[in-house]
Amino acid sequence: MSDYLEIPWQKLSEDALQGMLEELVTRDGTDYGERELSEGEKIEQLRESLISGKALIAFDPGSESWAVLPKT
C-alpha cells in the first residue's frame, strides 16, 4: 500500500468504524503480540490507536483494500 488515501476515522459513522474494526480483527493472520487478546480487546486497541493519532486508516484504490497502519 504505497499510494494510499488516508481515510479520517472521524468522518466515519460509529457503525461504519465499528464494522471496519470488526472486519479487520477477524482477518486471517492478524497478530497482536505475545498475549492472545479477545476480539473486543483488539477492536478497542485499534480504536485507541486511531484516536491517539498513532495509526491511520489507509485505502488503496488500486486493490480497493484498506488497512489500519501505524503513523510514521
Side-chain angles (χ1 to χ4, degrees), residues 1-7 55-63 65-72:
M1 280 196 183
S2 57
D3 293 329
Y4 63 83
L5 302 171
E6 182 175 348
I7 307 294
L56 58 88
I57 300 172
F59 177 73
D60 179 358
S63 65
S65 63
W66 66 273
V68 174
L69 302 176
K71 242 183 186 171
T72 54

Side-chain angles (χ1 to χ4, degrees), residues 28-45:
D28 290 336
T30 305
D31 184 18
Y32 287 83
E34 293 179 25
R35 185 174 76 87
E36 184 61 34
L37 301 174
S38 73
E39 190 173 298
E41 288 172 316
K42 292 175 187 177
I43 291 169
E44 192 54 36
Q45 203 174 65

Side-chain angles (χ1 to χ4, degrees), residues 18-32:
Q18 182 69 21
M20 289 178 78
L21 296 177
E22 287 174 4
E23 193 273 329
L24 181 63
V25 301
T26 58
R27 288 181 185 170
D28 290 336
T30 305
D31 184 18
Y32 287 83

